[in-house]
Amino acid sequence: MPTTRPTKAWEVMMRGNARFVAGEPRHPRQDIERRESLAHVQKPDVVLFGCSDSRLAAEIIFDKGLGDLFVVRNAGQVISDSVIGSIEYAVGVLEVPLIVVLGHDECGAVRAAIDSIAPEAESVSPYIDGLIQQIVPAVRRVSGGNGHDPASVDASEVGREHLRDTVAELLERSELVSDAVARGVLGIVGANYKLHEGTAVADIIVGNISPADITTDSAAK
Ligand SMILES: [Zn+2]
């Protein structure tokens, strides 16, 4: 049965981000009472799947507290079995109504993926390469398939394409997630975080999130 929970969860995220952007964070739910009340149970409202970049500190940039966010992060926010398993746990067991996939500008993983297409690209470790290769399809699309010059590739555009790929792959590979979206109990927002301004701007919205209630620029409110 469809609910308003996905929309409400995103609205709360945007309000928290707006406080952070304005330099007026409340640092909610970080006290002793909150800590103790969560000792035996958690009921987060949001899965935050984002890049590991140290500047994307999840609870800080959305002005959240203990027990609010179920956080999954890796470099370049790339899908893996463990990422899907973690997200499915949050959606299936904890009944979280919203997944926010968060990319950002000036992403080192995106940069590395762009640099990797150059003929004289330096080799990296197999594990780092495994992350980068998942971003390379976005690089090839943006560069038109003939991009041998990394300097000519628009990194912001690659970041956006990769974000969209990531949301699509999550829906494609996880039946649990796509079923929850189809039932109206789960929404997904793919957003880009701007390091300088601190704003998280929605780029893709999937599922039961009412567009009428959504502004795609949280700094506007
Ligand atoms: Zn990054």
Side-chain angles (χ1 to χ4, degrees):
M1 163 195 343
T3 75
T4 58
R5 291 183 67 213
T7 300
K8 289 212 170 86
W10 178 238
E11 286 173 348
V12 172
M13 288 289 274
M14 285 193 301
R15 280 203 293 274
N17 181 236
R19 291 195 299 274
F20 170 72
V21 168
E24 298 167 350
R26 290 184 199 148
H27 307 297
R29 298 176 294 282
Q30 299 178 13
D31 54 13
I32 294 169
E33 288 74 20
R34 176 68 168 179
R35 186 180 74 216
E36 291 179 349
S37 75
L38 290 167
H40 302 295
V41 65
Q42 63 167 327
K43 196 71 184 156
D45 289 323
V46 179
V47 178
L48 189 294
F49 170 40
C51 182
S52 292
D53 192 295
S54 59
R55 298 162 292 184
L56 258 69
E59 282 86 356
I60 294 177
I61 65 178
F62 290 102
D63 199 23
K64 291 281 200 173
L66 288 173
D68 290 342
L69 300 180
F70 191 94
V71 178
V72 185
R73 291 168 65 187
N74 62 29
Q77 83 277 350
V78 299
I79 294 288
S80 68
D81 288 357
S82 64
V83 165
I84 294 174
S86 301
I87 291 174
E88 287 193 344
Y89 174 76
V91 172
V93 178
L94 302 178
E95 300 180 333
V96 171
L98 176 68
I99 300 168
V100 175
V101 181
L102 191 66
H104 65 104
D105 51 7
E106 304 293 332
C107 180
V110 168
R111 186 72 252 163
I114 294 170
D115 290 343
S116 78
I117 66 171
E120 73 284 8
E122 286 180 26
S123 68
V124 295
S125 91
Y127 291 109
I128 296 177
D129 192 53
L131 293 175
I132 290 171
Q133 287 309 317
Q134 288 187 254
I135 306 174
V136 165
V139 177
R140 297 212 184 283
R141 278 208 304 284
V142 170
S143 68
N146 56 4
H148 297 294
D149 175 18
S152 69
V153 180
D154 182 340
S156 301
E157 192 56 37
V158 172
R160 270 193 297 278
E161 285 291 315
H162 170 57
L163 180 68
R164 292 166 191 176
D165 286 352
T166 304
V167 172
E169 188 179 353
L170 177 62
L171 283 164
E172 188 183 307
R173 287 182 57 183
S174 173
E175 202 176 322
L176 188 151
V177 166
S178 53
D179 278 357
V181 168
R183 283 187 290 117
V185 297
L186 176 68
I188 304 175
V189 175
N192 280 301
Y193 180 73
K194 297 180 180 177
L195 292 175
H196 189 266
E197 295 86 352
T199 48
V201 181
D203 181 71
I204 330 151
I205 293 174
V206 177
N208 183 24
I209 296 178
S210 166
D213 299 328
I214 297 296
T215 167
T216 52
D217 189 343
S218 56
K221 288 205 168 168

